[in-house]
Structure formats: C-alpha cells, structure tokens
Amino acid sequence: MTAPQFTAPYINGHTIDVQDSALTPVVNPANGKTVAKVFMAGPEHMTRAIDAAYAVKDVWGNTTPSERELILIRAADVLESMRMEVVNLLIDEGGATFGKSQFEVSYVVGVLRSAAGECRRILGHTIPCDIPGRISIAIRRPLGVVGGIAPFNFPLILAVKKVAFALAAGNTFVLKPSEETSLVGLKIAEIFEKAGLPAGVLNVVTGDGPTLGPVLCADPRVKAIMFTGSTAVGRSIAVDCAKAGKKVDLEMGGKSPLLVLKDANLEYAVNTAAFGIFIHQGQICMAGSRVIVEESVYDKFLELFVAKAKTMQVGDPHDPHTVIGPLIRTAQCPFIADRIAAAKAQGARVLCGGTYEGNFFQPTVVADVTEDMKMFHEELFGPVVSVIKAKDADHAIKLANNSRYGLTSAVVTNDLQIAMRCAMELETGSVHINGSTIHDEPHGPFNSVKDSGPGREGGQWSMDELTQLKWVTIQRGEAHYPF
Ligand code: NAD
C-alpha cells in the first residue's frame, strides 16, 4: 500500500500539525500488521472544523451550479486516477476483498458524477395562488453546514454519498469517518483537494465516535446530521439531534430477508443467496442474513446452497479470487460463534462453517433457524446465514416481517401475483424481485423503515434532504386587505 498522504484531521484546507508520538496505529485486520498511523482528534478539533465550514458556508452556498458541478466531476476523475491506491487502502485498512474494493471505487465515481448532475436539477415549484396578481413559488436553498457520520463497512461509499450530494446542494461539510477507517476518510479530503475544492468546504475529523459525535450533533451551526451506522448509535444520535432541534437522517442496521418460493430456479436462488450474504463477509447492512425457503424446495435448496458455500475462497483479500476476507473487528468472531452455538442448542443445524481463525470466519450455513432464536433477529455482521423453513408464501412473508429492522428484502419467484404481494406487504424500504437484498445505486431511492431508519439517500432524495424548501411570494401591483 502507498503510504497515506493525510494522517491527521483535515481542517480548513490542510491537515493539522501533530506530533508523531500522538498518532495511533492503524492495524490491518487480515494480518495484524500496522498499516500507518493516524491522529485521533479531540472535541476542540471538531469545533475548529465546524468553525471552518461555517466561515465559508455563504460563499460556497452562492457558487453557481457549474462551479460545483465541475469540482464534483473533477473529483470523480481524480478518484479514477487514484483507483489502485484507494483499492489497496480499502483492503489494508478495512479488510475488504479486491473485488469489493474495486466495486466500491467504481460506485463512488458514479456517486460523484451523479451528484454533479444534481447541481443543475435543484428544482422548485410554482404554486397556484388565490390572491389576484400574486406569484407563489417554492425554491430550494442550501441548509448551511451539514455533518456526516459514517460506518466502517463501505467507508468510501457511505461517506462520499453524504459529502457529494451535500456539496452539490451548496452546503459545506464536516465528516466524521469511522475510527476504524480513518485513512479512507482522509483520502476523501485528499481527493476533493486535488479536485480544487476551496478550503473549509469539506473538513474531515478522525477520531472516536462518542468523543466527536456529540460535539457535531450539539453545535447549533450544524443544521443537519446524515448518519449511517448501527441502530444503537443512530438512536443516541437522534436524541442528541432532538435536544439541539436538529434535522437528522438515519440509515441503520438490518436483518434482510431473501424469500425463495417454490417456483424459483434453485440454482439462481442459491447464487442470489450466496452473493447476498458472503460479499464483504456479511458486513453489509443489506446482507441477506435470513433466507426463508418454502417447504417443498427447502431440502434441495439447502443441498445446493451448502455446496456453493463450500466453494467460497477464504483468505488473502488482495487475491482477486478471495470472496471471504477478514472481519474488521476481532471481537465479532466469538460473538457470532456464541449466537451459532445458542441456535444449535435450540435445534438449528450448522451445515458448513461455524468456526474461525483470527479474524477469518468460515462461510456458514445454519439451517432450521426459528423465530425464538437470537440469530433470527440479531444483526451478526459476518458470513453467516440463517435458513428458515416456511410453510407457504403467506408464512414466508410473515416470517420476513417478524423483525425490528426494515431495510431491504428480496424474493425469488416468477409468480407475478406473489411477487407483487411481496412488493406491497414486505415491511422494508426496498423490495427486490428476482434480485439480491443488496442493491444500491447512486441515484436510487435508498430508504429504510422500522429500526433501520428513517433515512433517505441517493440522487434527488438526497437533494431533498439536504436543501431547505422556502416559500416565496411576489405581489404584482398592490394586494387588497379587508381592513
Ligand atoms: P457504528 O454505529 O458502530 O458506528 C458508526 C459511526 O458512528 C462511526 O463513525 C462511529 O465512530 C460513530 N459513533 C459511535 N458512537 C457515536 C456517538 N455516541 N455519537 C456520534 N457518533 C458515534 O457502526 P459500524 O459498526 O461502523 O457499522 C456497522 C453498522 O452500520 C451496522 O449496524 C450496519 O447495518 C450499519 N449500516 C447501515 C447502512 C444503511 O445504509 N442502513 C449501511 C452500512 C452500515
């Protein structure tokens, strides 16, 4: 990996000066080696970053669409030109596999281009008015300073999706990346600096969530918080934002169901299920961690699924053939093993995997999981899938909806009637018919319900969240008043 250029918070156009002795090692989750060192900021650095973003909010908010568009397009080109450097960083800092990292970079190039396009589409409304001679319009204005808090699992996508649309809308930004992927967060600052973004418009503060997050949420100059992460943290951020009277957008945890119905092409269903749980070793909010299969095809599905799971290559994430790399958190492995053991004690069958070495958890299929088991309900964030038997399609929908989460769902069937019922009745922000639970596009309406949200991101939906609607009326001539 190329030595990272930025290793300290990026505030007002440069990284702050810090002593080498104050840096914290960044450990590669695959091999335990130190990748680089990074500075973990304190509350005062967060305040300085907000100062910087606040100082330039009016200047940036009054730039023309073409000025903002140009910087976002340039940022896409800069990222493309740094592709392999960023891919290697995603692998070495975040434990992503080569394929996942390539996907992440490509997706973010798309986010930047998509956000560039939105600069010219910040549309308002003209509204019919009952007062003679009065013109009534609604326009969209930037919010001002926006704060973003991002998780570790897609550190580039989930940060840039917030930053790019916020900048496109004319906001300035303070980003708090995950403490586990600080270098990726700082890489975003480097990319925008190279793209010519003026100082202060984007600031990146690396450090611990509980230390920095509350400062960002409490400061009245920050008008909105865009958060992606766990439900527990999201809920505490919602409380902090409510206390500060602040808008908050939350994209949180998931326990997404994939329904395999009796008419499904089982080989296709198996490939769909495998992609949904094994990509990034299951550390995805949209992971299809519950596969609900109709009784009549249950045994056959399991046979094919286990055979597929056994073909997944586990190991060096730099090897393009590797599917399962390391989990980023060492403590996640015993946690997952505990949940599997508990399910086993309650009658579930572990058909493959179930063990781990270091941070590498084997691809695991657990069959006969039922609603009374913890692993039916809890997000495990590992390459572990619960397979659940459903009596029929009605039962499958009921099982799917028995979750506190409501992020995504998917169904494999060619029965149009049932597919449409699933679309209407599954309690999730998106439903993918004959696709995986994992689907996102830069301009798509990514949203969530129940304990996964409420959140809205992507294209025009991000722009709605990141602008303030303002009603403006203009009277031609003079209005008549009753007194
Ligand atoms: P996390 O909640 O532990 O951390 C997310 C961010 O919150 C980090 O930057 C962290 O530093 C910060 N944070 C922690 N405590 C804070 C506090 N008190 N105040 C403010 N910020 C604080 O999440 P994670 O483990 O990094 O990511 C995994 C989780 O994210 C999973 O639950 C996953 O489902 C979820 N996720 C959701 C989506 C989605 O779009 N819905 C996408 C990716 C990940």
Side-chain angles (χ1 to χ4, degrees):
M1 190 186 96
T2 321
Q5 204 179 324
F6 291 3
T7 54
Y10 182 81
I11 299 173
N12 203 20
H14 55 85
T15 52
I16 62 167
D17 287 333
V18 287
Q19 300 282 335
D20 194 56
S21 58
L23 302 180
T24 303
V26 174
V27 175
N28 181 329
N31 55 25
K33 289 187 182 153
T34 296
V35 173
K37 289 180 177 180
V38 73
F39 184 73
M40 295 284 135
E44 67 280 14
H45 302 108
M46 180 55 86
T47 301
R48 272 170 57 190
I50 298 168
D51 294 344
Y54 190 74
V56 296
K57 79 174 173 58
D58 293 333
V59 177
W60 181 252
N62 286 312
T63 49
T64 62
S66 58
E67 288 171 287
R68 300 195 297 277
E69 176 192 61
L70 183 61
I71 286 175
L72 288 158
I73 289 172
R74 277 204 217 120
D77 292 346
V78 169
L79 173 57
E80 194 60 271
S81 73
M82 294 165 72
R83 174 176 283 271
M84 282 318 298
E85 182 186 335
V86 178
V87 162
N88 287 328
L89 180 59
L90 289 164
I91 296 172
D92 291 335
E93 184 184 46
T97 58
F98 179 82
K100 184 263 191 187
S101 304
Q102 287 282 6
F103 163 78
E104 187 160 6
V105 171
S106 300
Y107 184 103
V108 171
V109 169
V111 168
L112 291 162
R113 289 182 183 150
S114 179
E118 290 298 334
C119 296
R120 291 183 192 267
R121 264 202 301 266
I122 306 174
L123 304 179
H125 301 270
T126 55
I127 301 141
C129 184
D130 271 337
I131 314 275
R134 188 164 296 183
I135 296 164
S136 177
I137 59 174
I139 59 172
R140 291 200 166 270
R141 296 290 299 146
L143 297 176
V145 180
V146 172
I149 301 177
F152 75 81
N153 62 333
F154 277 85
L156 196 63
I157 290 180
L158 295 167
V160 176
K161 223 174 164 187
K162 297 169 180 31
V163 171
F165 289 110
L167 299 190
N171 301 295
T172 57
F173 208 91
V174 178
L175 172 66
K176 213 297 287 167
S178 166
E179 47 275 60
E180 286 157 309
T181 49
S182 302
L183 295 174
V184 173
L186 292 168
K187 191 56 74 183
I188 296 167
E190 190 186 327
I191 290 164
F192 274 102
E193 186 184 83
K194 286 185 172 151
L197 189 70
V201 177
L202 170 64
N203 307 275
V204 180
V205 189
T206 47
D208 184 44
T211 307
L212 301 178
V215 183
L216 189 61
C217 296
D219 195 305
R221 294 171 298 171
V222 178
K223 296 301 173 198
I225 297 289
M226 305 293 286
F227 169 79
T228 302
S230 64
T231 298
V233 171
R235 288 276 175 265
S236 84
I237 287 175
V239 170
D240 289 345
C241 288
K243 281 185 191 153
K246 184 167 302 181
K247 180 173 179 169
V248 61
D249 184 280
L250 304 167
E251 296 286 2
M252 306 193 286
K255 192 76 191 175
S256 295
L258 169 70
L259 282 58
V260 178
L261 302 186
K262 63 183 175 204
D263 71 305
N265 171 341
L266 289 187
E267 273 177 27
Y268 178 68
V270 160
N271 291 340
T272 304
F275 173 78
I277 191 63
F278 296 132
I279 181 170
H280 200 33
Q281 38 284 4
Q283 299 171 117
I284 301 191
C285 55
M286 296 175 272
S289 51
R290 291 183 298 149
V291 177
I292 302 170
V293 187
E294 251 189 286
E295 203 163 32
S296 58
V297 292
Y298 186 76
D299 290 338
K300 186 69 191 163
F301 174 85
L302 275 177
E303 181 192 325
L304 296 173
F305 191 28
V306 170
K308 174 95 183 177
K310 286 181 177 166
T311 67
M312 300 290 129
Q313 179 172 312
V314 181
D316 177 9
H318 281 279
D319 180 341
H321 300 293
T322 295
V323 176
I324 309 279
L327 297 182
I328 199 164
R329 293 176 184 150
T330 307
Q332 197 68 9
C333 290
F335 168 77
I336 296 170
D338 174 75
R339 293 304 186 259
I340 294 173
K344 215 173 149 186
Q346 287 177 272
R349 290 180 290 145
V350 181
L351 300 183
C352 64
T355 56
Y356 63 94
E357 212 179 309
N359 285 21
F360 291 86
F361 211 103
Q362 291 295 318
T364 302
V365 177
V366 185
D368 303 347
V369 172
T370 51
E371 291 166 281
D372 54 340
M373 298 176 188
K374 276 187 176 166
M375 71 178 292
F376 182 98
H377 298 281
E378 282 181 1
E379 198 175 30
L380 298 186
F381 243 50
V384 179
V385 60
S386 298
V387 185
I388 300 143
K389 193 189 283 182
K391 288 198 261 309
D392 51 26
D394 275 349
H395 188 212
I397 293 173
K398 247 189 218 136
L399 287 164
N401 285 341
N402 183 6
S403 175
R404 60 183 288 220
Y405 295 113
L407 196 55
T408 69
S409 58
V411 53
V412 185
T413 181
N414 284 312
D415 183 326
L416 180 65
Q417 299 299 327
I418 295 180
M420 283 315 294
R421 264 195 61 204
C422 287
M424 304 314 251
E425 293 177 21
L426 288 173
E427 296 165 356
T428 51
S430 48
V431 180
H432 303 295
I433 296 163
N434 287 325
S436 165
T437 55
I438 299 176
H439 180 77
D440 190 18
E441 292 184 70
H443 58 283
F446 194 84
N447 73 102
S448 42
V449 297
K450 295 164 94 175
D451 277 0
S452 299
R456 267 173 183 218
E457 273 190 339
Q460 67 187 84
W461 292 276
S462 284
M463 298 303 279
D464 283 353
E465 291 295 301
L466 290 160
T467 50
Q468 176 64 48
L469 197 62
K470 199 170 208 179
W471 190 10
V472 176
T473 65
I474 309 149
Q475 181 67 43
R476 285 184 297 125
E478 292 183 355
H480 296 287
Y481 300 106
F483 51 85

